[in-house]
Amino acid sequence: MFSMGANMQLTEGEKLILAMLYDIHKALNLKGAVDIDAVRAAISEKKSQGTRPATNGAVPARVAAVDPTAEVAEILDMWSAIERGYKRLTVEEKREVEAGAGPLGRGVRFSGFDEDTEKRHRELAQTLIDTTDRFERFQGRNLTAHMPTLDGYRRMLQMFAPMRPATGDPRLGVQQIIALANAEKYAR
């Protein structure tokens, strides 16, 4: 059994690297001498000994138990899938998204985080985009939204979780994109 010693401290970057390695290991279904589920559990257990954010159930358990870096990675991953799905739509389907989602259905695009109230999330997003190959589609974008977005993204993550397959691209369609856009703007 893997055990993290009391003095073992991981930086946010190390936690992100471990989370990404865990995802790769699981996706490739690799077997080895290290029990990666035990490592993941030990890291989660170590984090849960600290303070947890008050979420009132607004964030899925998968996201609520992780640090802001992992949450931002989840948001960027979700938006990558949304933008890929939107890009694949026909002109008529894009009109359908706009009709169903209003202004957020026009040009469906990740808008970043509020500079004043979500600065840490914006900085983490920029770091993930600049330092990993995972979010290249967002490179060069202005990630400053001029209004708070995090609550909307958290609602979207709740809805996106069952849409995400174990492996591969979710291939989102018209109704899924409309539902996600509406989750962003409306609290349920």
Side-chain angles (χ1 to χ4, degrees):
M1 170 77 172
F2 177 82
S3 174
M4 286 182 55
N7 295 329
M8 185 177 208
Q9 298 292 322
L10 298 174
T11 66
E12 295 299 312
E14 290 168 332
K15 290 175 189 175
L16 173 63
I17 290 168
L18 285 173
M20 291 168 57
L21 287 172
Y22 174 85
D23 289 343
I24 292 168
H25 201 278
K26 286 300 250 186
L28 295 175
N29 198 24
L30 299 173
K31 304 290 183 226
V34 176
D35 181 359
I36 62 165
D37 290 321
V39 173
R40 180 75 163 196
I43 292 168
S44 295
E45 181 179 307
K46 187 80 169 168
K47 285 187 284 192
S48 69
Q49 292 171 0
T51 59
R52 292 184 65 166
T55 61
N56 293 332
V59 182
R62 178 174 180 216
V63 175
V66 296
D67 60 63
T69 304
E71 181 178 40
V72 169
E74 291 274 340
I75 290 167
L76 292 174
D77 184 53
M78 173 186 67
W79 270 105
S80 292
I82 293 168
E83 288 188 10
R84 278 191 315 274
Y86 185 79
K87 186 177 179 178
R88 291 183 190 122
L89 299 179
T90 65
V91 173
E92 184 56 39
E93 289 171 324
K94 288 178 181 176
R95 284 190 196 117
E96 193 177 334
V97 169
E98 185 176 345
L104 291 178
R106 190 176 310 122
V108 180
R109 187 174 162 97
F110 175 63
S111 59
F113 296 93
D114 184 58
E115 186 171 28
D116 296 323
T117 61
E118 301 164 347
K119 186 174 183 170
R120 178 73 176 134
H121 282 76
R122 187 178 56 79
E123 290 169 349
L124 289 168
Q126 192 65 62
T127 300
L128 287 169
I129 292 165
D130 292 344
T131 61
T132 68
D133 294 333
R134 202 169 147 196
F135 305 112
E136 290 176 350
R137 81 176 318 107
F138 303 118
Q139 286 183 348
R141 288 196 195 176
N142 178 358
L143 299 179
T144 303
H146 299 289
M147 60 185 232
T149 58
L150 193 53
D151 287 342
Y153 294 160
R154 287 174 174 161
R155 287 189 299 273
M156 293 171 76
L157 282 172
Q158 276 188 310
M159 185 167 286
F160 180 67
M163 295 177 189
R164 181 191 316 237
T167 60
D169 187 356
R171 304 202 52 96
L172 300 175
V174 171
Q175 294 308 314
Q176 291 169 311
I177 293 170
I178 290 171
L180 289 165
N182 285 328
E184 180 180 12
K185 63 183 175 178
Y186 299 122
R188 297 196 185 265

